Amino acid sequence: MTNRLADTLSPYLRAHAENPVDWYPWGPEAFAEAQRRDVPLLISIGYSTCHWCHVMARESFSDPAIAALIDEGFVAIKVDREEHPDVDGAYMAAASAFTQNLGWPLTVFATPRGRTFYAGTYWPPEARPPMPAFRDVLAAVREAWTLRRAQAEESADAVADALARAAQSVPADLPDTADLATAATAIAGREDRIHGGFGGAPKFPVATVLGFLLSPLVRRDVPDASAAGVRAFDAMAASALRDEDGGFFRYATQSDWTVPHYERMLTDNAQLLDIALEVGDDAVARGVADFLIAALRRPGGGFGAAQDSESWIDGRRDEGGYYLRAVTARAGLQPPEVDGKIITGWNGLAIGALARAGTRLGDPSLVSAAAEAAEAVLRQNRDQDGRLVRASLDGVASTASATASDLALLADGLFALAAASGDASWAVTGRAVLDESLSGVGGDPLLSEQGIATAPDQTDGDLPSDAASVAMAALSAWRLGAGEHYRDSAVVIVRSLSKSAREQPFAHGSLLRVAAALNEAPRQVVAVTAARDGDLAAAARAADADVIAVVTPTQAAEFADAGFELFDARADVAERVYDCRGFVCRLPVSEPAEVIAAR
């Protein structure tokens, strides 16, 4: 017997379709049923490659007795956090009022209006002190709702109101170079000087923080802090966190980067590909790019969300067993499954990283892979009205709307692809997608209807925050010459979160990186040549610059005609490299040896 999840798009929800729990997918039907029955909502949030989500599914959600307790006292909703990031973000923030041990599966108990009055993560079916049994948690929550309902509702309203207030920000000045140096120094002060990285166990890659520490301003003005970022990356790259096939695992459970949590995320690997390029580790960059293409790329060209930690070995589910074997010994094994959802923003990260890797490594096949992914997203991830949505699976678009971050990360990837390929059409599409993001993207409509803040904070998680994503894309558009108003937009966004970023720099690495870029003129290198694979083009691609574009005269004219002023008056003479600082260019050079590599 299947429940309502069997026909959903999400692989995570489909995996629970045979549960005896009477699950609802996220939507108004579940809220209406909870209000009709006057019972709380049990909202269970996870994703398909989450190990402890699998465990709780096997132990509790497959148990008919526990399922009966759930169905009798609650309306149960199953949410894929990757399909509904606003929902996950809102309830994760609410859960922080009840537990500091946040993660997935996230288990939330809410009023029929969706307001949280208790939350936790994984609970076992039987008590394992200090963890209570899930069946006892269900009984206690139901008793509280029945006997102390007014108190539960008051608590839920207080949490919702507090989060709504926290979502408000007070603009401050743009962080200056001194502020940024202070922030970088504070982050570096958290370095594990023995094992590399930041903090203790569990230890995460924190790619957003590394991106800030490796930014040109920090490398120049705070070299000691930047060196901490390099040491962190080198430690990760040399550890068990990086698999033999080149891909990075989600995190290490030990402070010395050992005993990985074996799932592999598109978000982590796309960002770490960029970090490898920043560090100058071409071998690691090549390995990550190869992993993305070999393991996560789906038919049609898009990239799946993640690869599972578990696989079938000798007839049983095994966490990590596949990865613990040498690559040569894996040939006879069924590899861990890939969640095939093509998530718009996550693919934007991969498109940009592969485009930049193709430029830096001189490998046009990586640029082609980025272009194929862009084509797949722009073709598949649209609703019937042509609007971009959050994700697709097997060519079928999700009903979940694209977030501001989805649009911005895709736009940013398209700008990088335009520069790498010389095809102005990617930049034109990216600009249109960015404009939609800047015009304001509404959050989850059901949360908004219930008065629940959809963006209670703008800190980085495993990828840049919504605000930072939009600011980064606006910065990229400006650097390509799309207009000064894009820089102005980035400034407004950074100023709106400047106070929080200075107070909590570790949580705002991506925003601080944008702030650092706004404090100095970008370096833009444009090579106009009929031989895109020639020596002059290669010299331009080797430059340390914020924008590297290699175009034919015809392509330069197409960029200029499309309104990207960096390419104005570049089509008249071929075999020239223009080296610019904030659109002010040196005299063009025509010999490869004359192209300056250093910033």
Side-chain angles (χ1 to χ4, degrees):
M1 178 179 178
T2 58
N3 54 42
R4 298 174 187 83
L5 306 185
D7 296 327
T8 60
L9 178 105
S10 164
Y12 174 62
L13 268 60
R14 291 181 186 179
H16 291 77
E18 300 295 332
N19 289 169
V21 178
D22 187 22
W23 291 114
Y24 282 79
W26 179 258
E29 294 80 7
F31 279 68
E33 179 65 8
Q35 291 163 16
R36 184 189 71 79
R37 291 177 53 195
D38 197 27
V39 297
L41 293 163
L42 187 163
I43 304 171
S44 176
I45 303 174
Y47 56 103
S48 69
T49 61
C50 164
H51 171 66
W52 288 103
C53 299
H54 296 327
V55 173
M56 195 165 182
R58 289 192 292 263
E59 290 179 340
S60 295
F61 299 139
S62 297
D63 184 323
I66 292 178
L69 291 174
I70 294 173
D71 293 345
E72 184 179 354
F74 307 89
V75 169
I77 302 177
K78 179 61 72 172
V79 179
D80 184 337
R81 68 173 292 258
E82 296 173 349
E83 189 177 10
H84 294 282
D86 284 349
V87 176
D88 177 58
Y91 284 113
M92 186 63 74
S96 68
F98 303 95
T99 178
Q100 296 304 306
N101 298 317
L102 298 172
W104 300 275
L106 181 63
T107 308
V108 175
F109 296 95
T111 69
R113 293 178 57 208
R115 299 190 167 206
T116 304
F117 63 89
Y118 189 60
T121 53
Y122 163 80
W123 280 301
E126 306 296 338
R128 298 175 195 161
M131 288 189 292
F134 185 46
R135 64 182 75 245
D136 294 337
V137 172
L138 293 169
V141 170
R142 186 177 182 188
E143 178 181 298
W145 180 255
T146 303
L147 302 180
R148 297 181 296 280
R149 175 169 177 168
Q151 182 179 343
E153 290 182 326
E154 182 179 349
S155 174
D157 288 342
V159 169
D161 292 344
L163 292 174
R165 290 192 300 272
Q168 300 171 358
S169 60
V170 179
D173 292 336
L174 188 73
D176 60 20
T177 55
D179 295 326
L180 295 164
T182 298
T185 300
I187 291 172
R190 299 177 58 172
E191 182 186 15
D192 178 348
R193 297 304 295 264
I194 297 174
H195 303 298
F198 304 93
K203 191 170 280 184
F204 289 81
V206 290
T208 55
V209 168
L210 297 183
F212 169 55
L213 293 181
L214 295 171
S215 64
L217 184 147
V218 176
R219 283 188 292 175
R220 184 190 65 234
D221 292 355
V222 202
D224 289 346
S226 189
V230 175
R231 286 191 292 269
F233 179 79
D234 288 346
M236 286 187 285
S239 76
L241 193 72
R242 184 167 69 103
D243 189 36
E244 187 181 338
D245 69 0
F248 282 85
F249 297 112
R250 181 70 188 93
Y251 63 87
T253 62
Q254 305 302 309
S255 61
D256 62 356
W257 297 106
T258 58
V259 193
H261 186 58
Y262 287 102
E263 60 183 319
R264 301 197 286 187
M265 314 297 292
L266 175 60
T267 49
D268 293 327
N269 282 279
Q271 291 178 95
L272 288 172
L273 172 53
D274 268 331
I275 298 301
L277 297 172
E278 294 277 4
V279 170
D281 194 330
D282 290 355
V284 172
R286 168 64 65 183
V288 177
D290 289 346
F291 159 73
L292 291 174
I293 292 170
L296 294 187
R297 186 160 62 168
R298 303 290 88 196
F303 291 92
Q307 188 173 31
D308 210 330
S309 61
E310 296 185 3
S311 63
W312 289 98
I313 298 180
D314 297 330
R316 65 181 182 85
R317 295 287 286 177
D318 187 300
E319 185 195 9
Y322 177 87
Y323 302 110
L324 288 170
R325 304 192 184 195
V327 168
T328 54
R330 296 176 189 175
L333 297 177
Q334 178 182 340
E337 292 184 0
V338 171
D339 183 328
K341 290 196 307 297
I342 309 301
I343 297 176
T344 297
W346 298 14
N347 272 259
L349 284 172
I351 291 163
L354 287 169
R356 286 182 285 270
T359 296
R360 181 64 63 189
L361 302 177
D363 186 347
S365 71
L366 300 183
V367 180
S368 295
E372 290 171 11
E375 291 168 354
V377 171
L378 293 169
R379 181 180 65 253
Q380 297 172 188
N381 291 21
R382 294 190 182 276
D383 64 16
Q384 292 181 344
D385 296 323
R387 290 186 295 263
L388 283 164
V389 297
R390 169 68 176 172
S392 65
L393 180 69
D394 299 331
V396 179
S398 169
T399 57
S401 301
T403 65
S405 179
D406 282 322
L407 299 176
L409 293 175
L410 176 60
D412 201 50
L414 294 175
F415 292 139
L417 178 57
S421 66
D423 186 343
S425 67
W426 295 121
V428 172
T429 302
R431 183 175 56 194
V433 173
L434 173 59
D435 287 345
E436 182 180 351
S437 178
L438 287 168
S439 69
V441 177
D444 182 87
L446 188 53
L447 289 177
S448 299
E449 182 181 312
Q450 303 301 328
I452 299 172
T454 57
D457 68 56
Q458 285 291 349
T459 57
D460 293 335
D462 51 356
L463 73 168
S465 68
D466 277 10
S469 299
V470 177
M472 285 191 296
L475 178 69
S476 296
W478 171 66
R479 285 171 166 175
L480 274 178
E484 195 69 21
H485 64 284
Y486 287 106
R487 185 184 188 280
D488 294 342
S489 295
V491 169
V492 169
I493 293 169
V494 173
R495 287 188 65 243
S496 72
L497 296 165
S498 176
K499 183 175 182 292
S500 298
R502 286 188 298 232
E503 292 173 349
Q504 298 177 293
F506 200 86
H508 292 84
S510 52
L511 191 87
L512 289 168
R513 180 165 192 170
V514 177
L518 291 169
N519 268 273
E520 54 187 15
R523 184 185 184 195
Q524 303 141 308
V525 174
V526 178
V528 182
T529 173
R532 285 179 45 84
D533 298 325
D535 292 342
L536 190 63
R541 291 188 178 104
D544 181 7
D546 301 296
V547 175
I548 299 174
V550 178
V551 293
T552 66
T554 299
Q555 289 173 328
E558 290 169 348
F559 270 100
D561 291 345
F564 293 92
E565 66 180 73
L566 180 61
F567 300 86
D568 284 352
R570 303 284 186 252
D572 298 335
V573 182
E575 310 313 316
R576 295 288 188 273
V577 171
Y578 298 85
D579 190 345
C580 312
R581 299 296 194 282
F583 302 95
V584 177
C585 306
R586 302 170 184 261
L587 289 174
V589 299
S590 57
E591 294 296 328
E594 297 176 309
V595 178
I596 300 171
R599 185 177 289 265

